[in-house]
Amino acid sequence: MDERKSRTLAICSVVAAALFWSSSYAVTKEVLADVGPLTIGAIRFTIAAVLLAVMVRLRRNPVARPDARQRRMIYLSGLLGITVYFVLENIGVELSTASDASLIVASYPLMTMLMELVVFRSRMPLIRVGGVLLATAGAFLVVRNGAEVGGAARWFGDVLLLLGGLVWGGYNVLVKQAGRGQDAVNLTFYQTVAGAAGFLLASLLEVGDWKMPDATTSVLLGYLAVACSVGGFLLYNYGLRRMTSSVAVNILNLVPVFGVLGAVVINGETVRLAQVFGGVIIIAGVALGLVERRTVAEKAAVPEPTPVGERA
């Protein structure tokens, strides 16, 4: 597969992951009425781990297992990107609003960019910085008019969601090193096993509230596990390994756009002109963030940045 096709497929994979993840806020909010935030994570990612284990087992061409050091790094990325991040997200969404969550998610690319600059000492093209800032401004316009006034705990929920962005940035940087030599299925499987184990331990804090979910809640939990966990992470990890972290996370600024479209189609909500305008700005920012200055790169002949710890 040539470079252009590979890049296009990677972009499409991350966009598809954004589409799945955009629905997770509304679905999680529904499930929170019957199931605690830690228990949701435990059920969701345990189901996902079982499904991924079956996929790994049935593969025709098994990939070599990572060595002990790489497994530790992958497990750590799973604990960060699954257990820690989704604990913060689930509790944050419960205390705050879905609109606030969408707005705060739009700031994640900026956090990831800063981490890339520190860890990889990579140069960030000005045009890419502009794309991220433009997409962030668009996401603000999308959710600003739809933001609902929360209760006394809303501020604390927003802080948890903001901390989730720092964790997600760390996850992206770590995966660039931990995932070397591993395909998306293997990488996602080991991450999900670690994340599910962490959530199972955390869910014991809610053991007193455990009860059998009804049919609707069970279906929604299944959707979170299959579409948002297995499908979303497989697609995202596939794309992430073929582009820089900041570009991949910038594409996730499409999440609030997809969320608004879903609200219109599924819930019959109306969209204001400012939100439509914000969606257009987000798409423009994402497109700008994907621009590669090939001529400059070819003249400079600068190799891909190496992790700080592996420099000679």
Side-chain angles (χ1 to χ4, degrees), residues 23 41 51 66-67 80 87-88 93-95 107 117 137 153 179 188 216-217 224 235 238 246 266 271 285 289 291 308:
S23 63
L51 293 175
D67 59 32
L80 278 177
V87 164
L88 293 171
V93 169
E94 182 179 37
L95 297 176
S107 69
L117 290 172
T188 308
T216 301
T217 301
L224 288 173
L235 290 165
Y238 176 87
S246 57
I266 298 172
V271 180
V291 171
V308 176

Side-chain angles (χ1 to χ4, degrees), residues 54-73:
V54 173
M55 291 175 63
V56 171
R57 182 69 175 177
L58 296 179
R59 299 183 73 176
R60 293 183 178 180
N61 301 310
V63 178
R65 292 184 62 191
D67 59 32
R69 179 179 178 277
Q70 191 176 23
R71 281 201 303 275
R72 287 195 296 270
M73 293 180 65

